[in-house]
Amino acid sequence: MLLTLTATCLRSMLLPSEGAKKPKLALEDLPAYTFDVLGLSGLNLSTDLLVGADRPKLEGIRERADKAACAVLLLIESAPHPFGSTTEADGKGATERLKKVVEAARFLGCNAVAVKVIADDSEASMLRTVARLRPAVDRAEKLDLNVLITPHTGLTSTPDRVTELIKRVGGFRIGTFPDFEVAAKTADPVGYLRRLCPYASSVSASTIKFKPSKNAKGT
C-alpha cells in the first residue's frame, strides 16, 4: 500500500493569503515538500489548484515530481458534473469536461482521475450517465488512465448503484474512489467500503478530530 498526500490538505499553503502575491508553497515545490517533509511518495492533486495551468505548467509539475521521487498519481475533479441531466448541452458539457481532465492527468503523469456524478437515482438517468461517461472512459483507456467514480448524492449514493454504473459503462478502466469520511456517515461503514474497495485503485482516508470523553482522565 502506498500512502499519498491529497494536496487540498495544504490549500492554505498553496494559495496566496489575503494581501499576499505568492503562496507559502509553490505547487511545483509540493512534490519535494511531500517527500522530504511528510515522508510520502505520492501525491493527489485537485483541479481547483490547477486553474489556468497549461500543458507546459502541468508537464513542469510532472518533471519536478519525478525528480523528487514523488509522483502525481491521481487528479481529482473538484466539481461534480451533470452526467444525468435531461438537458443535452449540460450532459455533453460534462463529457467534454471529463475528457479535458483526463488530458490534464496525462500531462501530469497520473494513472487515474476521480469524478463525481450529478444524476438522480432513476433508470433514465442511469442510461444517460452511462452514455455520457463512456466516451471519456474510452479516451482514458487509450491513454492507460483509470476513471474513478467518487460516490455522491443521488445515483451514486449507494455501493450497489455505483457498481451497477461501473458495470454498465464497462471496460477495465473504470472503478471507484471510496472515501472513508463518506463511509463513516453510513449505517454500515465497513460494509460500505467492502462493496466499493474491490473496484478501487485509490481510496481517500480522512482524519477526524475526536472529542475527549467526559469520563476521560487528563494526562
Side-chain angles (χ1 to χ4, degrees), residues 2-6 31 34-35 39-44 69-73:
L2 178 66
L3 295 178
T4 61
L5 171 71
T6 297
T34 301
F35 185 84
L40 300 174
S41 300
L43 184 61
N44 302 333
C70 183
V72 182
L73 300 174

Side-chain angles (χ1 to χ4, degrees), residues 87-154:
T87 303
E88 190 60 32
D90 289 344
K92 183 178 180 180
T95 301
E96 293 306 311
R97 172 60 184 177
L98 182 53
K99 286 182 178 180
K100 289 181 180 179
V101 173
V102 167
E103 293 295 336
R106 169 195 179 190
F107 301 142
L108 287 166
C110 301
N111 58 34
V113 301
V115 65
K116 292 180 180 179
V117 168
I118 298 177
D120 61 71
D121 192 359
S122 67
E123 179 60 18
S125 186
M126 170 70 83
L127 292 173
R128 289 191 294 269
T129 300
V130 168
R132 290 161 178 168
L133 278 174
R134 193 167 284 148
V137 173
D138 288 345
R139 178 57 182 161
E141 186 167 358
K142 291 178 181 178
L143 299 175
D144 293 326
L145 286 163
N146 297 318
V147 174
L148 307 180
I149 304 300
T150 303
H152 190 52
T153 56

Side-chain angles (χ1 to χ4, degrees), residues 34-52:
T34 301
F35 185 84
D36 296 336
V37 178
L38 302 179
L40 300 174
S41 300
L43 184 61
N44 302 333
L45 288 181
S46 56
T47 54
D48 61 331
L49 295 173
L50 297 170
V51 175

Side-chain angles (χ1 to χ4, degrees), residues 3-217:
L3 295 178
T4 61
L5 171 71
T6 297
T8 51
C9 296
L10 300 180
R11 179 187 298 276
S12 61
M13 297 175 65
L14 295 169
L15 297 177
S17 58
E18 186 176 353
K21 294 183 179 180
K22 295 182 179 180
K24 294 180 180 178
L25 179 65
L27 196 58
E28 293 86 348
D29 295 329
L30 181 59
Y33 179 91
T34 301
F35 185 84
D36 296 336
V37 178
L38 302 179
L40 300 174
S41 300
L43 184 61
N44 302 333
L45 288 181
S46 56
T47 54
D48 61 331
L49 295 173
L50 297 170
V51 175
D54 55 11
R55 178 172 179 173
K57 182 175 179 65
L58 297 176
E59 291 180 338
I61 294 172
R62 177 179 181 172
E63 291 175 5
R64 296 287 291 274
D66 290 343
K67 290 179 181 178
C70 183
V72 182
L73 300 174
L74 174 66
L75 180 58
I76 302 169
E77 170 65 319
S78 304
H81 292 289
F83 288 92
S85 176
T86 56
T87 303
E88 190 60 32
D90 289 344
K92 183 178 180 180
T95 301
E96 293 306 311
R97 172 60 184 177
L98 182 53
K99 286 182 178 180
K100 289 181 180 179
V101 173
V102 167
E103 293 295 336
R106 169 195 179 190
F107 301 142
L108 287 166
C110 301
N111 58 34
V113 301
V115 65
K116 292 180 180 179
V117 168
I118 298 177
D120 61 71
D121 192 359
S122 67
E123 179 60 18
S125 186
M126 170 70 83
L127 292 173
R128 289 191 294 269
T129 300
V130 168
R132 290 161 178 168
L133 278 174
R134 193 167 284 148
V137 173
D138 288 345
R139 178 57 182 161
E141 186 167 358
K142 291 178 181 178
L143 299 175
D144 293 326
L145 286 163
N146 297 318
V147 174
L148 307 180
I149 304 300
T150 303
H152 190 52
T153 56
L155 181 63
T156 59
S157 61
T158 66
D160 287 345
R161 293 296 267 170
V162 175
T163 55
E164 182 181 352
L165 173 62
I166 289 170
K167 291 174 182 177
R168 288 204 190 189
V169 173
F172 299 101
R173 289 293 181 174
I174 184 167
T176 62
F177 182 45
D179 187 318
F180 277 28
E181 184 177 2
V182 173
K185 297 175 181 179
T186 66
D188 181 14
V190 174
Y192 180 93
L193 291 171
R194 281 178 175 169
R195 292 299 307 275
L196 291 180
C197 284
Y199 301 89
S201 59
S202 185
V203 178
S204 175
S206 306
T207 57
I208 299 174
K209 184 177 181 180
F210 292 96
K211 294 182 179 179
S213 169
K214 293 181 180 180
N215 297 324
K217 295 181 180 180

